[in-house]
Amino acid sequence: MSGNNIYGNTPTFLGAKNISADKNTEGLDVSVYGVPWEGAVTWGDYTGCELAPKVIRLVSARYTGYLPEIDHLDVFEHLKLGDMGDIDIVPADVEETMNRIEKFASQVWDSGTFAVALGGDHGITFPIVKALAQKVDGEVGIIHLDTHYDNKPNFDGDKFARCSPFARLYEQEGVRNEAIVHAGIHGPRNHPDNGRLANSVGATTITIRDIRKNGDLQAMAKQMHDIASKNTDAVYLSICSDVMDYAFNPGGPADGNGLSSYELLELVYEICKLGVAGMDFVEIYPQSDPNKFSAHIASTIVLYALAGVIHHRQNANTGEKEYVKN
Amino acid sequence: MSGNNIYGNTPTFLGAKNISADKNTEGLDVSVYGVPWEGAVTWGDYTGCELAPKVIRLVSARYTGYLPEIDHLDVFEHLKLGDMGDIDIVPADVEETMNRIEKFASQVWDSGTFAVALGGDHGITFPIVKALAQKVDGEVGIIHLDTHYDNKPNFDGDKFARCSPFARLYEQEGVRNEAIVHAGIHGPRNHPDNGRLANSVGATTITIRDIRKNGDLQAMAKQMHDIASKNTDAVYLSICSDVMDYAFNPGGPADGNGLSSYELLELVYEICKLGVAGMDFVEIYPQSDPNKFSAHIASTIVLYALAGVIHHRQNANTGEKEYVKN
Amino acid sequence: MSGNNIYGNTPTFLGAKNISADKNTEGLDVSVYGVPWEGAVTWGDYTGCELAPKVIRLVSARYTGYLPEIDHLDVFEHLKLGDMGDIDIVPADVEETMNRIEKFASQVWDSGTFAVALGGDHGITFPIVKALAQKVDGEVGIIHLDTHYDNKPNFDGDKFARCSPFARLYEQEGVRNEAIVHAGIHGPRNHPDNGRLANSVGATTITIRDIRKNGDLQAMAKQMHDIASKNTDAVYLSICSDVMDYAFNPGGPADGNGLSSYELLELVYEICKLGVAGMDFVEIYPQSDPNKFSAHIASTIVLYALAGVIHHRQNANTGEKEYVKN
Amino acid sequence: MSGNNIYGNTPTFLGAKNISADKNTEGLDVSVYGVPWEGAVTWGDYTGCELAPKVIRLVSARYTGYLPEIDHLDVFEHLKLGDMGDIDIVPADVEETMNRIEKFASQVWDSGTFAVALGGDHGITFPIVKALAQKVDGEVGIIHLDTHYDNKPNFDGDKFARCSPFARLYEQEGVRNEAIVHAGIHGPRNHPDNGRLANSVGATTITIRDIRKNGDLQAMAKQMHDIASKNTDAVYLSICSDVMDYAFNPGGPADGNGLSSYELLELVYEICKLGVAGMDFVEIYPQSDPNKFSAHIASTIVLYALAGVIHHRQNANTGEKEYVKN
Amino acid sequence: MSGNNIYGNTPTFLGAKNISADKNTEGLDVSVYGVPWEGAVTWGDYTGCELAPKVIRLVSARYTGYLPEIDHLDVFEHLKLGDMGDIDIVPADVEETMNRIEKFASQVWDSGTFAVALGGDHGITFPIVKALAQKVDGEVGIIHLDTHYDNKPNFDGDKFARCSPFARLYEQEGVRNEAIVHAGIHGPRNHPDNGRLANSVGATTITIRDIRKNGDLQAMAKQMHDIASKNTDAVYLSICSDVMDYAFNPGGPADGNGLSSYELLELVYEICKLGVAGMDFVEIYPQSDPNKFSAHIASTIVLYALAGVIHHRQNANTGEKEYVKN
Amino acid sequence: MSGNNIYGNTPTFLGAKNISADKNTEGLDVSVYGVPWEGAVTWGDYTGCELAPKVIRLVSARYTGYLPEIDHLDVFEHLKLGDMGDIDIVPADVEETMNRIEKFASQVWDSGTFAVALGGDHGITFPIVKALAQKVDGEVGIIHLDTHYDNKPNFDGDKFARCSPFARLYEQEGVRNEAIVHAGIHGPRNHPDNGRLANSVGATTITIRDIRKNGDLQAMAKQMHDIASKNTDAVYLSICSDVMDYAFNPGGPADGNGLSSYELLELVYEICKLGVAGMDFVEIYPQSDPNKFSAHIASTIVLYALAGVIHHRQNANTGEKEYVKN
């Protein structure tokens, strides 16, 4: 394996330190790991989001940590990143895979670094947050940016399908349902039962129209974080690519009327400025995106999140809340 | 033919009742029909919009009638849909095809249902509105959302070309030219003669810049409907896919500087809230859109229109105006 | 409609005389017509072979009638072609469509011209041959070049599906089952029942390996025609694109181990030299073939058939047998 | 060569007068020329922007000069265009190519027409502006709309790479660095050194967030032009396609969080209303854009610029400043 | 998980019994398993052959076990298949992955079933054959159908790269180098060192020209098997997709001058008729093959191998040699 | 410019010595140069063969000079290659471009190296062979492998169009028409006039069927070379990509019934074994070939030609005939 490649000709994400062998996060601030998992397929014959961790890393080689538009911030001057590699999922064994993700995530949370998971399908969010919930003293709140509720009780019997993680999280001890915010929700790919269930467990829905009618992205981010951080000890951020309109996310699900890349980036930055323990970005399908635009924007989304983390560290002394340590 | 399929492996639009055999609309509120017609090709070697009714139906299987962002409205709780199948166009006979469309549309208008036509090229709008004009007591107004005027007197002698329906409608008895609104118009694919002709017959032009400079989509919808409903007994809504920017409409004509999917959806919803008799959505070319995004958004556009219809029914007792009954 | 176009920007096939309006074949030798029909879809979510008649015509504009490799024959010096346009199929009504095809074909057979049908799916062969069987004095034999038997009794209840025409033809009065040759058959897309049924009705199977092991294409053509012409009064040639390997037929079904374009052309030429009443070429899907190679080769296949027709006319005085006249 | 084609089947840009043979601009207001150059490739294995001048011309045949949304302005009523053809670049000789571009541009500037260069990669801007700087009495200011600074001192030793033209322009006599505005800058494809260098030479950076937070595109255009025209005698406008978001620019670099086509068009129009000597539009890669959307919008961008030119001519008598004459 | 799916919406290969949970092969004749591994990338930026096991299974749903061209053999009448699922590879850990493959393969060989591995890149062949070599009493011979030798000592230090398995196998105890046949070898993607190394260890090279000049595929198969079975106790068959010409293998490496699908199928059938213990089929990249032709032919290749196995069982009583049992 | 790149990120062809700056062929045996020219477009809206020299070089980086199937010959052990870069064509000036090609080719011929031109369209063959004809003492013969005659007197007035080089060569002093062999000719893209003209000037036509019916590729090559070398002092080899079937040439014109890659390679090798002065390979369109198969095979075609050259040098002492020296 040549140089810093994480595997094959694939470099580490954004040139992070390669810690795939020993998972040693000493001296690092951020841990990135891939979850090349695709479980239930809920629409169409094929998707292929297990390729996303690889393709996101490949295209990340195009980028530095510099964001001229955010006061010329160079993220890498402030944060050291490590790339932990990918979880060894078992294609034909959903439960074993969920266990492995949980176990892997548990180690990541122990490291006290800001944890970034690259999906894979949305099913990965449940074991990741479950692991977090077992680490924090109190409860966990979740800001969930998505077109869909992803809270279907099960898909054809599969409880860990991509459309179901929030059904599992609603049931998970240590997750505070009143601190779950489904934001960006819209469109008829949802089912009336999804909205009813979210409502019944006490979760908050903020639709795309709520965001658009309000118009102030910073205020919307604040509103989301206020709910997610109320009476919780950690806030987790889970982003499904399709919260962006297909125009900005050609390698994701076919949902229109979504956020622009600008809108998503602003929300992510503002949310993370307020304190977040970790995040995931899921559901991109490189096969249906010849120019890999969705994989490219993933790097920027993570950098905007990290810009928020830097800002939060500088302005607050509340590391306890969003960072998990043993 | 298995189950509810309208043909082949193609389901009915949004799971509507299959009434393709008997066209029986009893108990139904909305009629959907396809017009797999492509006549004159005015740019490039190929388009293929005759495939749109099939592909729109195929991808509509992904959707319910639930719009969480519009007060969690479930359209199907309020309206029953029927799918009438497709008109049997005659590829090499434009005039016969126009007659068949008119005759078919005439039956649909008789049903008193809200009529949704899925094109096909824009040439289909003329016979559909002609049929409507022959049904209403007074005159018909038209809100025409499009990048282009589509009022070219003829294309190489063809009077029913996709660029010509409004030239025919201007001449049509029962259509009130002063109640025609060409909205969203922009860009150099238009010809100076188009604007002059619209102006000379008394039609109103609202360009994309008018909409953008105003910024209030609800107000713009109101302005359009006010013009179209003034001194008329029915308002028809005709939408060419290219009123959306190519970013949001990769399976349509190559016109930039257009509406976003959000902007179009808001306009459609607000217009239909004010009372509309029926609509069409035309000019999508599945062949040039590998991910079928344009076909996907069609389902949402129709649902937003129906959300408007529900709202209108609830708030008004003016069924006479926008619904046509014998 | 400009010039000689059959519709839109689509020229007539190979520049044939446009007789779509009056169907007048006086003075013509060959009639071409399109059948833009796609019924049951038996694999995958989409196909789109209803586009084939249009795309085949579009690309046919690239060609003359000159075949330097066949003794510098110029087909158009010997035969006059007419393009009859397309049949007005009814997308949501299989039976009505079959009736219309039969009726249209019946008129074509009456003309006494060599009839070339461009599909469409393979379901169109049944009504075309049924019409032929009703015209000839005796019985009809069929040379069927295909990877698949296409004799499944029905598909999900649909008796006219693309996989079923030979099941219908086996039952058809006037078709002599012992004069049906399924040639080129191979591969596991077939089902054991298909082979058993063909055998039980007395049809002959010639597999791809039979052709390859023999190696003499002219001899194989002779063998096919001997069977098809024995005790019959007309021989029909039906070609499914997938008798060619996907390498040569990227716009057709995904069947490997098939004929090369060279092999198919030689077979078609040699078969037609022996006397054939008409033919069809079916099952190409322009959408899955960006370079339209399958549509391009269609023109050459028809020209090779016509080269055979010319040769047959020159060498035989048996017009009665392969040409149908009132 | 048939008719007005500039070469092959490629028409002149927007139907301009073909002056490729004699370069005679007499009676013309605007000169268009192509620079089919691709030098250093800074990301990925392939780009192909040397095809852009051809493809932009090909798709320009779809357009008139009519912009209904700008007061129904017909650009061609006011301005006469000439197409000068393409510069004969030398693929394997960067320096000779730069010399040829400079020499060609010098002749164009001499003509006193508004000069429009169609790239090619961004490396072409240096010799074009160098030629301009040698013509004007005083100094030149530049409005540079781009995602990236493109001021890297060199790329692997190549001083004329696409990422380097502004490094050269900073050094160029006759270019006033304090009158260079890098506008639209954003994202981690930039390097911290880029921002520092721009700052150190006195150039102004206006990021995408500055534009978005301000919200008034006309005001932003004014701000850019004020800087670029202060103490200068000519203002040049250089547009890299990637200042648009990939959603609106699928045939350009993979940069999200950019301008919409609407935003770019408004900026270009407003900037040119204030007086500009010439412009370029660079970095589109037709190969990665099957529908050629990026090439299509190029025509509109140029027309918006010309609409600004018309407005400027009408409202000002300052031709000296933005037009260069001997 | 619904029905017989192996994961997601992916069925078992050719409808095999799903034994992914318990790996219980009792009563089965054939075991199929996937190895979704892509290690070193030796050309280009991306490949994606880790998707092949999934896509091969997905498209296998189109097929039965019936091969009309091989005496109407129905493979499934003779052999019962089980699908064991996929190996849980570790993307960033080559050595651990190789160990897991070896361990998994070892269990498969213990089952005494005919073992079919679906790659993945060619690196998987080494641990599979290593496991076999540890099971058989004597030595193993290998028929290696490929364009390339794949015997490079290492790739940038990686000893298990796709270009290196035969370098490892040359060193492996229990593999008889004189019984290794590299067949189908051709073209300049090979390096002179590759041929020299093969020669020096005693392996036999049969180039594509040797096969073509001979012309008798059955004789060539016999020649290969004679070498591979001489003084060995088991013969393994390893097929790289690129032994087929890109025309027949659009989803594989870009190597022309290769076998046709027909030629490969005949070789595989004739080889397996002579007795083979197991096989793999590697190196297809679904991403670069929109119609998935390479994945489709994989099903037929395996069925031809199984047809050979049936024939061998019927004609020989030498089960000891090619089947491995504890 | 880094390392040995000929331009941008494009390496020299097959790693040849970079002599683009000084054109110094001292010590070299073979000269390669690109002609990025596309003139008249004779079918369809676009082709893009001016990209071929770049893309052929890019993919050539995958290859060595080793051909295991030709007695393990390593071409680079015997011949030293130089890459001269590309000719600086003038897009909008056909005549000037033809002059530049002729002048450049003239220098190449002076070098006495085996000259390989990479097109570009077929129009480039005329000036290249004209330059050769002016160098040789006697006359030049041409083996022209193509589907088409390319001898149309002019295309819409353009005498140097891609369909016309042989019309020019027929008229060219120093070219012996009786020594021109049009080989591989087939299909209806030709016009009867083409065949008649070839015949009338004394050129020989060998159609694809002549080749297939004969079956002995070596004998066919001999037959071609015998004609081309009779009474001539140099034989030139011009290959249009479309002499290969579209299956093997997806990046070329849409002509079926052509040679396989194997057949073309054998012909090229056998022809060059008999003595050839230089060659060209033209008409590949990278844009329509996502996997660049046609560009990949170009490397192998040139290597087979060079293998022939080596064999010729070794077995003959007739360097005078096929090599041109001052």
Side-chain angles (χ1 to χ4, degrees), chain A residues 1-2 6-10 20 36-41 44-51 54-55 58 84-94 100 155-158 286-287 292, chain E residues 1-2 6-10 20 36-41 44-51 54-55 58 84-94 100 155-158 286-287 292:
Chain A
M1 212 64 50
S2 65
I6 198 81
Y7 41 66
N9 65 337
T10 306
S20 63
W37 167 253
E38 179 162 274
V41 175
D45 264 353
Y46 198 58
T47 53
C49 61
E50 64 267 58
L51 283 177
K54 183 189 221 173
V55 180
L58 278 166
M84 289 188 151
D86 288 351
I87 299 177
D88 58 329
I89 63 94
V90 193
D93 192 337
V94 180
R100 292 187 182 188
F155 181 77
D156 227 349
D158 179 359
Q287 284 195 117
K292 313 294 180 223
Chain E
M1 209 65 47
S2 67
I6 197 82
Y7 41 67
N9 65 337
T10 305
S20 64
W37 166 253
E38 179 163 273
V41 174
D45 265 352
Y46 197 59
T47 53
C49 61
E50 65 265 57
L51 281 177
K54 183 190 220 174
V55 180
L58 277 166
M84 289 189 151
D86 288 350
I87 299 177
D88 58 330
I89 62 94
V90 192
D93 192 338
V94 179
R100 290 187 183 188
F155 180 77
D156 227 349
D158 179 358
Q287 284 194 116
K292 313 294 178 223

Side-chain angles (χ1 to χ4, degrees), chain C residues 42 120-126 144-154 159-170 180 182 185 189-191 193-195 197-198 238-243 253 255 280 282-283 285, chain E residues 62:
Chain C
T42 56
D121 78 28
H122 215 161
I124 72 169
T125 300
F126 169 60
H144 169 215
L145 295 171
D146 202 330
T147 289
H148 314 114
Y149 281 105
D150 285 3
N151 66 2
K152 191 177 164 75
N154 68 76
K159 297 177 68 177
F160 304 105
R162 61 179 63 189
C163 53
S164 300
F166 284 87
R168 292 296 80 67
L169 287 166
Y170 292 163
I180 294 178
H182 299 289
I185 301 297
R189 177 63 176 152
N190 291 288
H191 190 279
D193 289 347
N194 301 141
L197 180 57
S238 180
I239 308 171
C240 177
S241 78
D242 63 23
V243 75
D255 294 285
D280 58 53
V282 300
E283 300 278 348
Y285 317 132
Chain E
R62 189 173 179 249

Side-chain angles (χ1 to χ4, degrees), chain B residues 38 45 50 54 88 100, chain C residues 9 38 50 54 88 100:
Chain B
E38 180 162 274
D45 264 352
E50 64 267 57
K54 182 191 222 172
D88 59 329
R100 291 187 183 189
Chain C
N9 64 338
E38 180 163 275
E50 64 267 56
K54 181 190 222 173
D88 58 330
R100 292 187 182 188

Side-chain angles (χ1 to χ4, degrees), chain A residues 184 206-215 217 220 224 259:
Chain A
I206 297 177
T207 74
I208 192 82
R209 281 184 104 217
D210 295 330
I211 296 172
R212 286 267 160 65
K213 298 290 183 193
N214 180 299
L217 294 167
M220 293 306 298
M224 295 174 200
L259 297 176

